[in-house]
């Protein structure tokens, strides 16, 4: 049985593609929270309100963390810089556009994108606009920034690279995508001179940052089944580089480990996920389509532990914080489980509006952005 979020996303995707599907599966109730003796305490360092929040389209408004400041945006075009130390507002900018993706930052620029495919770069120190550039369609994933490029993945299956300084178009990589897919895309991973990203056709591709040509591609999942729904194999989670290997997962497909040189398959596990991955303690942590947390040995793919007490709670991608794995859910709770065996360590009632945006961890601080626009920094002690 698919989770409520999966069903909702499938319906939205079908409507966007003109298929007119109104799924025949009943809504699944989230699993009720179990009681446990907390071993650690969650401390709120600071919180701030970022406009109206991400909006209701499952957009990944992931904040970006710089050396001194944290950058966030809401769906109505407000972009804000806050100090990481205390959450004080450094600057804010109102853009006359409806934003649809997360916020990217690095190398003195902050980048946002609109539902009309407009990409805007701001000066990270002042918030002043540096340039605007147009891509072919809506951007729903976090833009990525390198020393030379701003790379965005577009919902129509394209990846576009823009010059970081001028916004001039450098190249576009085009992938054939199926008619029906989940609403969302993978966020590209920029590694040295290569962009790694996944597509709705179940392929993971390495793109040369100099030319925009594919260096290699590897099929993570095969489209199987009688119906179009059964053949959905999106790679919506961002690929991850850990201990010299690339890890990626797909919906109704597999969790895989690849050697980046030539994309040789190291191991593969049948696993359905539309979320990103996390790593730590020699493990890979994944969230299944039914919202179960799984730990796999990074080298062998052996199952280490499995936590199913949060099923159907519409979890975010996992992050590692200290010796725990942290996730947020659609009811606004933060959950912390042990990296060693998956047992619950702590829980925190963050915001009743829920959390769809993936949390971020930098320097043992957890940054969380709620659906109503509450941005907070937290510690686990």
């Amino acid at each position: 049985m698919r989770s409520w979020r999966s069903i909702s996303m499938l319906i939205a995707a079908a409507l966007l593609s003109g298929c007119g599907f109104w799924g025949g599966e009943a809504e699944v109730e989230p699993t009720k929270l179990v009681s446990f003796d907390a071993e650690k305490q969650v401390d709120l360092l600071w919180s701030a309100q970022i406009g109206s929040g991400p909006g209701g389209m499952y957009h990944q408004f992931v904040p970006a963390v710089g050396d001194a400041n944290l950058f966030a945006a809401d769906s109505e075009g407000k972009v804000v810089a806050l100090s990481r130390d205390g959450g004080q507002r450094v600057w804010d900018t109102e853009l006359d556009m409806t934003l649809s993706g997360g916020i990217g930052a690095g190398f003195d620029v902050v980048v946002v994108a609109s539902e009309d495919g407009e990409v805007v770069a701001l000066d990270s120190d002042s918030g002043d606009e540096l340039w605007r550039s147009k891509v072919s369609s809506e951007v729903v994933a976090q833009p990525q920034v390198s020393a030379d490029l701003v790379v965005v993945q577009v919902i129509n299956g394209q990846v576009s690279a823009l010059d970081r300084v001028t916004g001039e178009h450098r190249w576009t990589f085009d992938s054939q995508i199926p008619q029906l897919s989940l609403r969302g895309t993978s966020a590209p991973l920029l590694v040295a001179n290569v962009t790694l990203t996944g597509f709705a056709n179940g392929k993971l591709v390495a793109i040369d940052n100099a030319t925009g040509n594919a260096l290699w591609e590897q099929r993570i999942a095969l489209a199987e089944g009688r119906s179009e729904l059964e053949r959905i194999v999106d790679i919506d989670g961002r690929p991850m580089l850990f201990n010299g290997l690339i890890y990626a997962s797909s919906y109704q497909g597999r969790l895989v480990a690849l050697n980046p040189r030539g994309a040789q398959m190291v191991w593969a596990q049948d696993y359905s996920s539309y979320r990103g991955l996390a790593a730590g303690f020699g493990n890979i942590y994944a969230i299944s389509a039914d919202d179960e947390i799984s730990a796999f040995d990074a080298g062998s793919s052996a199952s280490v532990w499995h936590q199913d007490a949060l099923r159907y709670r519409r979890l975010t991608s996992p992050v590692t914080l200290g010796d725990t794995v942290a996730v947020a859910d659609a009811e606004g709770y933060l959950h912390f489980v042990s990296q060693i065996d998956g047992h619950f360590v702590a829980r925190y009632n963050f915001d009743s509006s829920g959390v769809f945006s993936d949390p971020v961890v930098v320097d043992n601080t957890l940054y969380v952005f709620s659906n109503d626009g509450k941005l907070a920094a937290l510690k686990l002690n």
Side-chain angles (χ1 to χ4, degrees):
M1 186 177 290
R2 294 184 180 92
S3 67
W4 184 94
R5 174 166 164 76
S6 298
I7 295 168
S8 300
M9 292 176 71
L10 291 171
I11 292 172
L15 290 174
L16 287 170
S17 64
C19 296
F21 168 73
W22 286 98
E25 299 179 70
E27 179 178 326
V28 180
E29 291 295 323
T31 300
K32 292 183 179 180
L33 296 178
V34 298
S35 299
F36 63 92
D37 293 327
E39 301 171 14
K40 297 191 177 185
Q41 176 180 313
V42 181
D43 294 326
L44 177 66
L45 302 181
W46 56 260
S47 67
Q49 185 65 33
I50 310 299
S52 59
M57 292 296 290
Y58 297 114
H59 290 145
Q60 278 291 307
F61 274 69
V62 182
V65 184
D67 292 336
N69 295 331
L70 181 73
F71 307 98
D74 76 350
S75 61
E76 297 181 357
K78 177 186 287 291
V79 185
V80 178
L82 305 171
S83 68
R84 286 175 56 187
D85 287 341
Q88 294 88 358
R89 191 155 301 208
V90 178
W91 55 256
D92 60 70
T93 298
E94 295 280 354
L95 299 174
D96 185 20
M97 58 199 305
T98 301
L99 302 182
S100 61
I103 187 164
F107 300 94
D108 302 323
V109 300
V110 173
V111 183
V112 294
S114 78
E115 64 180 13
D116 297 324
E118 196 164 19
V119 182
V120 179
L122 307 173
D123 183 278
S124 62
D125 290 329
S126 65
D128 294 337
E129 186 172 318
L130 300 175
W131 51 259
R132 292 192 180 207
S133 187
K134 187 81 170 176
V135 293
S136 59
S137 187
E138 183 181 12
V139 178
V140 295
Q142 185 180 33
Q144 303 298 306
V145 182
S146 72
D148 299 316
L149 301 176
V150 170
V151 179
V152 294
Q153 185 143 347
V154 185
I155 203 167
N156 64 6
Q158 292 184 345
V159 177
S160 291
L162 310 171
D163 186 279
R164 181 185 63 84
V165 176
T166 66
E168 181 182 357
H169 180 270
R170 290 279 196 90
W171 50 257
T172 293
F173 178 86
D174 203 352
S175 175
Q176 294 295 319
I177 62 172
Q179 206 173 20
L180 184 65
S181 67
L182 302 181
R183 176 177 171 78
T185 68
S186 174
L189 174 65
L190 275 61
V191 181
N193 298 318
V194 176
T195 292
L196 295 165
T197 194
F199 293 95
N201 57 13
K203 290 183 179 181
L204 183 71
V205 180
I207 305 170
D208 187 328
N209 283 345
T211 65
N213 296 325
L215 297 172
W216 53 255
E217 62 179 44
Q218 176 65 264
R219 186 171 290 281
I220 303 302
L222 292 172
E224 298 177 332
R226 293 182 179 183
S227 70
E228 288 186 73
L229 291 177
E230 292 173 327
R231 292 194 293 272
I232 293 176
V233 290
D234 286 45
I235 302 175
D236 271 9
R238 189 184 185 200
M240 180 180 65
L241 186 64
F242 178 63
N243 285 350
L245 296 179
I246 300 165
Y247 297 87
S249 62
S250 67
Y251 181 72
Q252 299 186 143
R254 298 184 295 177
L255 171 66
V256 304
L258 303 174
N259 188 322
R261 296 181 181 275
Q264 295 92 349
M265 191 80 69
V266 176
W267 57 254
Q269 280 271 10
D270 289 338
Y271 196 81
S272 177
S273 177
Y274 50 80
R275 287 303 196 184
L277 306 169
F281 283 32
N283 299 329
I284 302 299
Y285 305 108
I287 306 296
S288 76
D290 289 332
D291 298 308
E292 299 179 359
I293 310 173
S294 301
F296 298 93
D297 184 273
S300 69
S301 83
S303 177
V304 179
W305 53 259
H306 187 74
Q307 176 57 263
D308 63 3
L310 300 175
R311 296 188 83 193
Y312 311 124
R313 295 191 64 85
R314 291 177 278 164
L315 303 181
T316 63
S317 298
V319 291
T320 54
L321 179 64
D323 58 1
T324 72
V325 177
V327 294
D329 70 22
E331 292 183 353
Y333 286 92
L334 307 179
H335 307 275
F336 303 84
V337 301
S338 167
Q339 288 196 54
I340 297 173
D341 58 13
H343 76 273
F344 287 100
V345 172
R347 179 187 297 148
Y348 185 75
N349 189 354
F350 175 62
D351 191 318
S352 61
S353 69
V355 178
F356 291 156
S357 298
D358 291 339
V360 178
V361 173
V362 178
D363 295 336
N364 276 327
T365 300
L366 178 69
Y367 299 99
V368 186
F369 191 32
S370 80
N371 297 341
D372 277 349
K374 178 182 177 181
L375 178 63
L378 304 107
K379 286 275 190 181
L380 187 63
N381 296 306

